[in-house]
Amino acid sequence: MLRTLCLAILACVTLMPAPAMAERLRDLGAFQGVRANQLTGYGVVVGLPGTGDNNLEYLTQAMRGVSGRLGLPLPPGVEPGLKNAAAVIITAELPAFAKPGQRIDITVSTIGKAKSLRGGALVLSPLYGADGQIYAMAQGSLAVGGLDVSGNDGSKLTVNVPTVGRIADGATVERNVATGFASEGTLRFNLHNADFLTARRLRDAINRRFTGSASIIDGVTLAIAMPYGADARSMMMAELEMIEVQPAQTAARVIVNSRTGTVVINQAVRLSPAAISHGRLVVRIEEDPLIVQPAPFANGQTALEPSSTLSAEEYGDRINLMAGGASLSEVVDALNTLGVGASDLVVILDALKQAGALQAEMVIL
């Protein structure tokens, strides 16, 4: 009897649904102000094997400036042949708390008619922030993953994108960004996705570890009281980031990419009772002309006699009933029984939404 009871309990535990996975605080959002900043700049890539911009006016002016900085100003009226140089835009991301002397990666992209940046080197160029200040200086040899070759007959082969290159550790940070990290009494934590239930659970978890320190501002932001001083504040943030919280279930949503025919349905989607009939009309027109030969010595000509066969058939005209409250797997199984493709599936889901049977938000990309 005891053995039977133990087996029954074990079976019940095995069949119980697994609990939702808890997420760390650092994976649910980010602290306000502790973020990366975008940098951009204008530069010149030299040393190209004849794949540069040639006569781009911006490039000519830039090369005049480069040669002038090196003490070799070009004489007035002289237009340099710049087939081996290209004007480029430089982009980079300055990490949070980056300090002068640290190095960051940069991406270099052409802005003119340059065919390839392979083999080129970027001349020293400043990188600016949104406030117009210089935050880094970039220079170095480019690594280009693309390839562009052409023949004398005009044939051309391009692999990937040869007009974009990357320089690992290609820029040196010259100025840090003031974040006010250690000077403010509270820090704000912003969730990646707005959800009041997740914000409440997160507030409760923080207050269990640091009593009375967290409060909700809205569905995205929490205010967390912090000690003053970078050392004490860093220790508290290290503990906060490891706090685990079970986020609320996401809203029911169906994502449709009309260009690729991709349809993604999350687990919260439910269906109300609905009957679906989805048919496809196929019309065929077959041409089988007959060759007509004239009688001997009739001075006639061979002719074609048109012969057409028309047919129309409709497939999939049965009606399928979908029960209410269907789960994600049941929704997929029910739609698969219709034998429809991705494009037809989009039409069916949109019709279910219009009929009020699909309890989800439709997002069309």
Side-chain angles (χ1 to χ4, degrees):
M1 181 66 180
L2 179 60
R3 183 173 179 272
T4 304
L5 180 60
C6 291
L7 290 176
I9 295 175
L10 180 61
C12 292
V13 172
T14 305
L15 295 176
M16 288 178 61
M21 296 296 293
E23 302 287 346
R24 297 176 301 177
L25 179 142
R26 67 188 306 174
D27 299 324
L28 294 175
F31 287 96
Q32 184 171 308
V34 183
R35 63 178 183 87
N37 291 274
Q38 286 68 43
L39 304 179
T40 186
Y42 173 85
V44 176
V45 172
V46 296
L48 301 176
T51 58
D53 286 323
N54 193 13
N55 59 356
L56 183 64
E57 183 65 24
Y58 289 135
L59 177 59
T60 303
Q61 296 179 9
M63 286 303 298
R64 289 184 182 276
V66 171
S67 61
R69 290 201 304 268
L70 299 177
L72 298 172
L74 295 177
V78 175
E79 296 296 335
L82 299 175
K83 194 70 174 178
N84 295 340
V88 296
I89 289 294
I90 311 164
T91 57
E93 191 173 83
L94 184 67
F97 307 117
K99 298 299 187 293
Q102 291 183 324
R103 304 188 68 85
I104 58 177
D105 300 340
I106 62 173
T107 300
V108 179
S109 309
T110 62
I111 59 175
K113 295 182 178 180
K115 298 179 180 179
S116 174
L117 294 178
R118 180 177 291 274
L122 177 67
V123 179
L124 185 66
S125 306
L127 299 182
Y128 298 88
D131 57 358
Q133 300 293 324
I134 297 177
Y135 285 89
M137 298 295 294
Q139 182 173 279
S141 300
L142 276 75
V144 180
L147 177 66
D148 184 271
V149 294
S150 59
N152 293 330
D153 60 351
S155 58
K156 183 178 180 181
L157 173 64
T158 301
V159 179
N160 295 332
V161 184
T163 54
V164 177
R166 189 170 178 83
I167 306 178
D169 295 334
T172 303
V173 178
E174 302 293 337
R175 183 197 301 264
N176 61 334
V177 178
T179 61
F181 168 69
S183 59
E184 298 181 1
T186 61
L187 280 183
R188 296 193 174 193
F189 183 82
N190 298 323
L191 294 172
H192 293 319
N193 300 307
D195 192 286
F196 285 99
L197 180 56
T198 302
R200 192 197 71 181
R201 291 177 178 177
L202 189 57
R203 179 204 61 189
D204 296 341
I206 294 174
N207 287 335
R208 282 194 296 269
R209 180 63 183 85
F210 301 97
T211 305
S213 60
S215 60
I216 298 176
I217 295 180
D218 51 40
V220 173
T221 306
L222 284 82
I224 305 175
M226 291 284 192
Y228 287 97
D231 184 68
R233 182 163 294 194
S234 297
M235 291 179 60
M236 182 174 176
M237 290 184 65
E239 295 187 40
L240 286 172
E241 288 185 334
M242 293 296 107
I243 292 178
E244 293 188 347
V245 178
Q246 179 181 328
Q249 187 179 28
T250 57
R253 188 172 289 118
V254 176
I255 310 297
V256 177
N257 191 322
S258 57
R259 296 183 297 275
T260 63
T262 303
V263 180
V264 179
I265 307 173
N266 70 5
Q267 63 178 357
V269 174
R270 294 292 183 271
L271 284 178
S272 300
I276 300 176
S277 174
H278 185 76
R280 288 172 292 176
L281 181 65
V282 178
V283 179
R284 293 186 178 90
I285 303 176
E286 298 179 358
E287 298 289 347
D288 188 17
L290 300 177
I291 300 177
V292 180
Q293 296 284 0
F297 309 105
N299 296 326
Q301 295 182 349
T302 301
L304 291 177
E305 181 179 345
S307 177
S308 302
T309 302
L310 304 181
S311 63
E313 298 179 2
E314 189 173 8
Y315 298 93
D317 55 352
R318 62 185 182 276
I319 298 178
N320 292 74
L321 176 63
M322 293 188 179
S327 62
L328 173 60
S329 60
E330 294 169 335
V331 171
V332 174
D333 292 340
L335 293 176
N336 283 335
T337 60
L338 296 175
V340 297
S343 58
D344 293 330
L345 180 59
V346 173
V347 175
I348 293 174
L349 291 174
D350 184 60
L352 286 171
K353 177 66 175 178
Q354 297 299 322
L358 179 65
Q359 311 304 323
E361 175 188 2
M362 289 282 293
V363 179
I364 309 297
L365 301 181

